């Protein structure tokens, strides 16, 4: 089956990006970068960011910037308090090292917030380029704006930082270079995708399956379809355990199997259980619907939907991790650009199908403009339901009621100290102290910042939080600060 992505290859090679549009697309990218940077920076300044995962990445990339073993004080703090635990024992994401040089300019998590915003926005360039070639100039602008306003980006930008920040730009360039028939570039980009996270081999494998529908790419497609899952196995079961991690640490599929082999057996022998799991709870169906409706379901009209299908399946087949199912956090940002590109291919295929079946139908821009306009309308209509709406709420820029007390508590902690911190306060200390999460542990840090007025991660209740403070005071910790529920304790 010939793909629309293989047409006019010689003309495409002569025209990578329309110069006359570069300024306007650049302006859109700049506005989006500022908006998403503002979203993350305000959250950081108003104590809405958290140790999970912003501080973990901040500590890891700081280690990269110092040419040290990349790792975090937070990871496995229970067993290795005060020690850098190699990040490769948790996730394989070496691509984040690309942000390390920016720590030579500014040593703090703000680098990650701004870097993620720029990476998200920069994908608008290849998306516009691809859309311009497939659906024309005006629809391309509408599609690019719809992508920049899409809710998966907003939700990810509101969650500190994650390695998926690199996925939209990489996948957008991947499809653009595929359309230009550049095999070497495509393979290099897929190699970079494998450096994003250990499970990105599923994306590579699914992309390979899609290439089987493209005549000149079938050998490469067959190779990728096999190599992708192999990479997942090697990275998760060999590389991560080599660095002290467990290949089963994030196993959230106990409802369908206790091992990869059992899950595969369930997929082949019990389709009813699989379908039930994919739709339970209904949050899973809502998330899938929102992802697909944003592009009028036309990603399903393209074989390139196979690239994102394994990642969606891996999340929705989980039975023990609610965070994977919904629209919050960063997970959907890994596939949003691929859905846009697959939808562009889908609308082009739909156009060709209509022209074949109805000979009187003349090719025009009307179907493309209508589709792109509807995508943009949905993107704008979704803003009130997701994090991007906060930018238009004046109250959101205000500091929380106890902000002054939180600032005063943090000021007591000296530079370079090993300190246990509440989740929301940790990012404000991370640039100058060795931050771990406040929790009960076999060993305790010499400095503890506690919060007995608001529920905290790990603790079951406020009463348990107060009990821990009392225990610390009974075991040699002096109280140096107390105000509005914040307590700073130190043991020399």
């Amino acid at each position: 089956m010939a793909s629309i992505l293989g047409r006019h290859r010689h003309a495409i090679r002569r025209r990578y990006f329309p110069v006359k549009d570069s300024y306007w697309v650049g302006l859109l990218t700049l506005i989006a970068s500022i908006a998403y940077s503002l979203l993350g920076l305000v959250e950081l300044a108003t104590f809405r960011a958290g140790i999970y995962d912003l501080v973990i990445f901040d500590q890891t990339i700081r280690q990269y910037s110092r040419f040290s073993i990349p790792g975090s004080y937070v990871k496995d703090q229970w067993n290795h308090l005060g020690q850098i635990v190699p990040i490769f024992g948790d996730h394989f994401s070496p691509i984040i090292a690309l942000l390390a040089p920016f720590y030579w300019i500014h040593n703090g998590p703000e680098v990650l917030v701004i870097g993620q915003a720029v990476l998200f926005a920069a994908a608008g360039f290849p998306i516009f380029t691809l859309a311009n070639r497939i659906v024309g100039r005006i629809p391309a602008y509408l599609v690019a704006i719809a992508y920049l306003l899409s809710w998966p980006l907003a939700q990810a930008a509101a969650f500190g930082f994650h390695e998926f920040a690199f996925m939209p730009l990489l996948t957008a360039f991947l499809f653009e270079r595929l359309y230009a028939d550049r095999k070497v570039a495509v393979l290099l980009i897929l190699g970079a995708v494998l450096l994003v996270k250990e499970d990105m081999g599923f994306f590579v494998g699914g992309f390979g399956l899609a290439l089987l529908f493209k005549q000149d790419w079938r050998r490469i497609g067959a190779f990728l379809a096999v190599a992708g899952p192999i990479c997942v196995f090697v990275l998760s079961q060999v590389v991560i355990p080599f660095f002290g991690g467990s290949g089963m640490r994030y196993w959230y599929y106990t409802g369908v199997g206790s091992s990869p082999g059992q899950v595969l057996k369930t997929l082949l022998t019990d389709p009813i259980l699989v379908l039930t799991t994919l739709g339970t709870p209904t949050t899973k169906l809502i998330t899938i619907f929102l992802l697909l409706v944003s592009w009028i379901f036309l990603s399903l009209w393209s074989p390139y939907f196979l690239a994102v299908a394994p990642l969606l399946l891996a999340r929705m087949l989980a039975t023990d991790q609610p965070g994977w199912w919904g629209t919050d956090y960063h997970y959907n940002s890994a596939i949003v650009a691929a859905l846009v590109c697959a939808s562009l291919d889908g609308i082009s295929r739909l156009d060709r199908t209509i022209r074949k079946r109805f000979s009187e139908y003349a090719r025009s821009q009307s179907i493309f403009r209508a589709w792109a306009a509807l995508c943009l309308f949905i993107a704008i209509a979704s803003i009130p339901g997701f994090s991007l709406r906060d930018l238009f709420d004046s109250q959101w820029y205000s500091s929380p009621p106890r902000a002054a007390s939180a600032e005063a508590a943090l000021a007591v902690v000296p530079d370079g100290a090993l300190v246990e911190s509440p989740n929301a306060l940790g990012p404000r200390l991370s640039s100058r102290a060795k931050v771990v999460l406040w929790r009960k542990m076999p060993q305790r840090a010499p400095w503890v910042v506690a919060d007995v007025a608001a529920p905290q991660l790990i603790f079951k209740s406020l009463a348990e939080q107060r009990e821990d403070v009392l225990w610390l005071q009974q075991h040699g910790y002096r109280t140096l600060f107390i105000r509005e529920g914040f307590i700073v304790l130190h043991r020399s």
Side-chain angles (χ1 to χ4, degrees), residues 54 64 69 87 106 272 290:
L54 185 56
Y64 273 120
I69 295 175
I87 198 66
H106 176 77
I272 300 300
L290 291 175

Side-chain angles (χ1 to χ4, degrees), residues 393-470:
D393 182 1
S394 60
Q395 295 298 320
W396 181 74
Y397 296 90
S398 303
S399 297
R402 298 189 299 148
S405 297
E407 296 280 8
L410 296 179
V412 176
V413 181
D415 292 352
L418 175 62
V419 54
E420 298 177 35
S421 168
N423 186 55
L425 272 60
R428 299 292 296 277
L429 275 171
S430 184
S431 62
R432 63 180 185 87
K434 302 172 183 176
V435 175
V436 297
L437 184 68
W438 172 40
R439 61 175 300 183
K440 296 179 180 179
M441 295 180 289
Q443 299 182 58
R444 304 302 295 264
W447 288 85
V448 178
V449 178
D451 183 356
V452 297
Q456 299 297 314
L457 293 178
I458 308 299
F459 291 98
K460 297 178 181 179
S461 64
L462 292 177
E464 189 176 45
Q465 293 167 212
R466 289 190 289 268
E467 289 172 4
D468 186 60
V469 171
L470 179 61

